[in-house]
Amino acid sequence: MFFLWKSNQIGKIWINGAHIKNIVSENIQAEFYCKEVSFIGECSTFMVYIALPEDVSLDKKMACEEKISKILAGLGANLQINWVRVLPQDNPKTTPIWTTPIFWAGFFASLTVLIRLGIVGVLYTLLSAIIGYCVSWFFLTEDGEKQILEIMKKFGR
C-alpha cells in the first residue's frame, strides 16, 4: 500500500508501506514479527505494529526499538512502535512449517496423487507443469519477451 506523505506544486511524495514493513521485518529478532506498518501523513508518523511473545524481556524490546529507530531515522518522519502480544504458534518466523494446516493439506494431496497416478503419472504431471511454466514465462514476463525478440532476430537474418 502506498501512503501519501506530502504534496506541493511540483508533485506528491508517496511511501511504499510494504517496503517499509519488509525493512523492519528483516532487521528485527526472530521472536518478533512485524504485523503492520501504517503512516499518518498529517503528523509524518510511521506506526509500526510488532508482535512479540509473552516471555520477551524489556531489554530485548528496547534494543528492537532502538534498531528500528536507527533504520527509519533517515526518512525524516516520526516513529511510534506499538507492541502486540502474540501466541508462539501464530508467529510465522518461529512456527515450523509442519505445524501449519496448509503443509498437511499439501502432504496428503501429494500422497493421494502418488497413489492414484503412480510414479509415471506423477512424472508426466511434473513434466507438463514444467512445460506450462516455461511457455507462460516466455509470453508473460519481460525477460521472456526479450528472449523471444532475440530468437526472432536470429531467425530473421
Side-chain angles (χ1 to χ4, degrees):
M1 171 179 277
F2 286 92
F3 303 113
L4 176 63
W5 186 3
K6 297 180 181 181
S7 60
N8 57 25
Q9 300 93 352
I10 299 172
K12 298 178 180 179
I13 299 175
W14 294 88
I15 297 174
N16 187 344
H19 185 68
I20 300 296
K21 182 179 176 184
N22 288 341
I23 290 171
V24 171
S25 295
E26 290 171 359
N27 290 292
I28 58 178
Q29 292 93 336
E31 61 260 14
F32 299 136
Y33 170 64
C34 182
K35 290 186 71 84
E36 187 64 43
V37 173
S38 61
F39 184 72
I40 301 172
E42 295 86 32
C43 38
S44 297
T45 303
F46 283 105
M47 305 285 284
V48 179
Y49 297 89
I50 299 177
L52 72 156
E54 293 190 22
D55 59 345
V56 173
S57 68
L58 185 60
D59 293 336
K60 282 189 175 183
K61 260 175 73 171
M62 297 305 290
C64 183
E65 283 186 13
E66 288 178 25
K67 191 171 187 180
I68 295 170
S69 296
K70 286 179 185 175
I71 292 168
L72 298 180
L75 295 176
N78 300 322
L79 176 66
Q80 181 176 345
I81 298 176
N82 301 300
W83 296 97
V84 180
R85 294 276 182 208
V86 66
L87 297 172
Q89 66 267 21
D90 294 335
N91 186 348
K93 281 187 174 181
T94 59
T95 303
I97 187 72
W98 58 85
T99 62
T100 60
I102 192 74
F103 170 79
W104 291 105
F107 174 77
F108 284 112
S110 301
L111 188 63
T112 303
V113 166
L114 183 63
I115 291 169
R116 298 288 293 167
L117 296 177
I119 298 295
V120 175
V122 170
L123 292 177
Y124 278 124
T125 303
L126 289 175
L127 179 64
S128 66
I130 291 169
I131 291 170
Y133 176 83
C134 291
V135 169
S136 65
W137 181 84
F138 274 110
F139 290 107
L140 298 176
T141 64
E142 290 181 23
D143 291 336
E145 290 177 13
K146 290 177 186 175
Q147 294 293 326
I148 290 173
L149 290 175
E150 290 296 321
I151 292 170
M152 297 295 271
K153 286 179 184 177
K154 288 184 181 182
F155 281 116
R157 293 181 188 167

